[in-house]
Amino acid sequence: MPVTGLFFLPNQGADSNPTQDILNRLTAHYSPTPAGSWTLSHRLFKGTPSSTPAPINGPEKSKPPGPRYLQILSLSHHSPKTYVAITATHAPSQTRVGTPASSNISAEAISGEPATIISIPQGASSEEFIQLILLKFGPLWQARQMLNVKEGLAFEIGDFRVRLGEVKQGVGGGAQTGRGALCEVEWVGGEADEEDWEGGGALIAGFWEGLGIRGARKVFDVPGLTEGEGSARQWCEILRVRG
Amino acid sequence: MHELLLFGQIPASRHDQVLNILAGVAAMQPVPILEKHLVFKPNKLSSSTRPVQVGGAQDIQKTQQALLAQTQGDLFYMQLVTDVAETLPKPLAEESMEMKVIGSGNCLPSETEQHGSMASSFTGANPTDETVNSEKWILQFRDLPEVARQRPVTSRLMADTPITSGSPMDFMSALDYTHTSTYALSGHRFTHLSTSLLLYRLLLPSNRTEQASHLSKIDISHAHLLDPSGMYILQAAVRVQDGSKVEAMTKGVNELLGLKETLKGVVEMEPGERLALDTRVR
């Protein structure tokens, strides 16, 4: 998997169009060559709180366990795979353990351990799996949110491949609320099988700074980055703590 | 996806005869199948044991009720299935090809002998070659069959999700499921029109270490039968993509009934007992 970095620029106010902003900056600072389009589909499920109480005797973990998330992610440029990731998070120190479903996760849930990721075939199998979780796994996983990028743009700029798209929330077809712009910067300069996350990370950071955009949330360093499926892990991280 | 099923039972003494008849009906050689099934159970307690909290303001009660209503569903057992036959090293795979040709042809020596030679072809898989990641595991879900109303067949919702990368074991524990038991399915498969015919019986691993093992090798020679009488099960299954489409379901039912008619006198095909096929956690 090539080295990637993800950036998210949220919508600020009713008139803002962060996708256009980033696009303008890209064309201003670099000379991008269009390289096709891409799509993204993401579903988030939150695990229901476990009925067993947390152990009282002795602090086994430094932080109490927070909610667990199940994410199903399909990226058109990673086809034919669809990723299914399960993340166990630690609750932030202020909130109580096992927050009920009605509370909002406004504080960031920090994930300590690497997420468990498997991949399933994209298409009919992944659709079937999503339906299965929705219909039959209600007691265990509650559907939280659906995000997608319909017409993402991809560009090639030298050794980098930049994918830019507007993130929309909601069920397809009906009213979709825009949430902001997502940008994936991929460094393809190195060897095909080498995964130099540190070196690539520095290059990607430099690239982004060259654009001079403020207020973007950057996701690069996630637990388990070097264990494999690093790019998918970054996507899961950035798409998880949203809204 | 929905699955329509009919089941039949065949005593061990008639196995070869039925295998030949099915080969004639399906117009194909039987394909040997050896699958390892790992059964997983969710750790979460079922909602019936959840303590009911009394009192509290109306708002809290509402959210609690909503939460309870959502969590009051059934929890299901899941299975991870892999095809062991495919992971055989090459020389053993050739032996199994030989068995396939013999199995469809003339009368064979006694049942136990055939099983014995088949056993020798499946043992001795090299443990160092096989890691869990190199095999193809399928996450299998089967729902409780529907109540048998008009359809004289067993009908249930099913989903088979192949896992193409990642560790299936870690995934199941992340889902909060624990591995409860292992069994092996050994038999032959035929395909006739849209129906998949499976003539099989179930084996249990003999030793404890293999019971807990997540590798997909099975020591057939030391495995013992789940049913000591050696009875085989014939399963005829038709899969329908969309269970709500009446036309497609009727077509599937008719095909199964047609097959039942064809096999009349050879083996009695009946719908399975609904509660015996229940995969819910109780």
Side-chain angles (χ1 to χ4, degrees):
Chain A
M1 188 160 285
V3 179
T4 52
L6 292 174
F7 302 92
F8 176 74
L9 197 59
N11 271 351
Q12 321 214 346
D15 290 337
S16 79
N17 191 345
T19 324
Q20 198 58 44
D21 290 343
I22 300 180
L23 195 56
N24 292 340
R25 301 236 182 195
L26 273 174
T27 42
H29 289 86
Y30 305 104
S31 47
T33 346
S37 65
W38 62 285
T39 57
L40 173 152
S41 157
H42 176 259
R43 276 186 179 260
L44 180 69
F45 295 87
K46 186 163 157 241
T48 52
S50 174
S51 50
T52 54
I56 317 165
N57 46 346
E60 288 179 351
K61 296 179 192 169
S62 52
K63 292 178 186 171
R68 282 162 53 235
Y69 293 97
L70 172 72
Q71 296 168 268
I72 303 179
L73 175 70
S74 299
L75 291 163
S76 61
H77 53 278
H78 280 252
S79 96
K81 284 187 190 178
T82 292
Y83 296 103
V84 182
I86 299 182
T87 326
T89 60
H90 295 302
S93 46
Q94 311 87 290
T95 58
R96 283 172 288 131
V97 174
T99 49
S102 56
S103 79
N104 293 325
I105 311 291
S106 51
E108 277 188 23
I110 315 141
S111 61
E113 301 105 24
T116 311
I117 293 195
I118 59 161
S119 68
I120 60 182
Q122 206 171 60
S125 285
S126 62
E127 285 304 315
E128 204 175 39
F129 189 71
I130 292 173
Q131 287 304 313
L132 186 67
I133 304 275
L134 281 172
L135 290 170
K136 296 288 170 186
F137 278 72
L140 292 173
W141 300 97
Q142 291 159 9
R144 266 277 166 266
Q145 174 188 93
M146 189 170 135
L147 294 169
N148 48 49
V149 173
K150 285 278 168 60
E151 295 132 1
L153 302 164
F155 302 99
E156 279 194 21
I157 302 171
D159 277 344
F160 295 95
R161 202 170 291 142
V162 179
R163 291 189 181 89
L164 177 64
E166 191 185 338
V167 178
K168 294 212 172 101
Q169 180 177 347
V171 190
Q176 295 215 342
T177 46
R179 293 312 217 109
L182 250 180
C183 187
E184 181 200 54
V185 179
E186 183 184 330
W187 179 58
V188 287
E191 297 287 325
D193 41 351
E194 211 179 76
E195 277 196 6
D196 186 9
W197 286 96
E198 281 186 29
L203 285 169
I204 289 170
F207 178 90
W208 188 254
E209 252 147 69
L211 289 174
I213 297 173
R214 293 185 197 275
R217 186 174 162 240
K218 177 187 169 186
V219 164
F220 183 75
D221 205 8
V222 285
L225 196 63
T226 44
E227 276 177 35
E229 314 284 14
S231 186
R233 289 177 199 278
Q234 287 177 337
W235 278 106
C236 290
E237 182 79 29
I238 205 169
L239 290 169
R240 186 170 65 240
V241 205
R242 295 278 310 91
Chain B
M1 219 186 287
H2 267 76
E3 201 176 37
L4 301 163
L5 299 154
L6 278 178
F7 297 93
Q9 279 186 322
I10 292 144
S13 54
R14 290 189 57 214
H15 171 253
D16 301 333
Q17 178 203 32
V18 175
L19 200 67
N20 289 334
I21 293 172
L22 289 175
V25 168
M28 62 177 273
Q29 298 271 24
V31 178
I33 287 220
L34 183 62
E35 288 176 357
K36 183 162 178 172
H37 290 243
L38 302 173
V39 182
F40 288 84
K41 182 179 174 174
N43 291 338
K44 200 176 275 282
L45 298 170
S46 64
S47 52
S48 55
T49 60
R50 185 181 280 272
V52 179
Q53 293 177 353
V54 186
Q58 279 203 348
D59 283 341
I60 298 178
Q61 271 208 340
K62 267 191 198 162
T63 52
Q64 270 192 358
Q65 274 174 12
L67 186 61
L68 267 178
Q70 249 180 337
T71 54
Q72 238 161 32
D74 290 315
L75 296 173
F76 295 87
Y77 282 87
M78 301 264 281
Q79 287 193 9
L80 274 182
V81 180
T82 186
D83 228 338
V84 178
E86 283 184 8
T87 60
L88 281 178
K90 273 213 173 128
L92 298 181
E94 278 167 11
E95 262 188 55
S96 73
M97 287 280 287
E98 238 181 71
M99 285 309 304
K100 186 169 77 174
V101 171
I102 298 172
S104 67
N106 323 319
C107 46
L108 289 157
S110 72
E111 225 283 313
T112 48
E113 259 194 323
Q114 179 200 10
H115 211 65
S117 49
M118 201 163 148
S120 64
S121 73
F122 282 123
T123 53
N126 195 350
T128 54
D129 284 343
E130 290 164 307
T131 56
V132 183
N133 291 331
S134 64
E135 299 139 358
K136 296 173 221 167
W137 289 89
I138 299 177
L139 186 61
Q140 234 186 42
F141 170 81
R142 299 284 182 272
D143 194 6
L144 173 69
E146 292 165 11
V147 179
R149 278 165 291 173
Q150 298 109 350
R151 297 196 197 114
V153 298
T154 303
S155 161
R156 64 182 178 188
L157 178 73
M158 53 143 299
D160 271 353
T161 311
I163 296 178
T164 46
S165 82
S167 163
M169 304 303 162
D170 291 341
F171 184 70
M172 294 311 285
S173 42
L175 269 180
D176 212 17
Y177 272 68
T178 31
H179 174 221
T180 50
S181 58
T182 313
Y183 67 90
L185 187 148
S186 152
H188 292 85
R189 181 175 62 81
F190 299 89
T191 314
H192 177 57
L193 300 176
S194 319
T195 316
S196 165
L197 289 157
L198 206 58
L199 181 65
Y200 66 93
R201 52 186 187 185
L202 299 178
L203 305 161
L204 292 173
S206 56
N207 45 352
R208 282 195 164 258
T209 50
E210 198 174 289
Q211 179 86 357
S213 159
H214 299 316
L215 296 178
S216 78
K217 61 185 175 78
I218 303 173
D219 196 358
I220 298 293
S221 58
H222 290 123
H224 58 268
L225 292 168
L226 178 67
D227 180 0
S229 71
M231 189 80 94
Y232 279 83
I233 302 174
L234 176 63
Q235 175 185 296
V238 173
R239 290 191 178 174
V240 181
Q241 181 71 30
D242 190 354
S244 54
K245 291 217 173 94
V246 181
E247 251 184 54
M249 292 293 264
T250 320
K251 205 168 155 189
V253 171
N254 289 337
E255 201 178 300
L256 276 180
L257 294 178
L259 185 71
K260 178 176 172 174
E261 196 61 37
T262 312
L263 291 173
K264 210 168 185 177
V266 178
V267 55
E268 282 301 309
M269 304 289 288
E270 300 294 338
E273 200 187 301
R274 181 168 174 255
L275 293 175
L277 293 167
D278 193 354
T279 54
R280 293 175 299 184
V281 177
R282 275 174 244 113

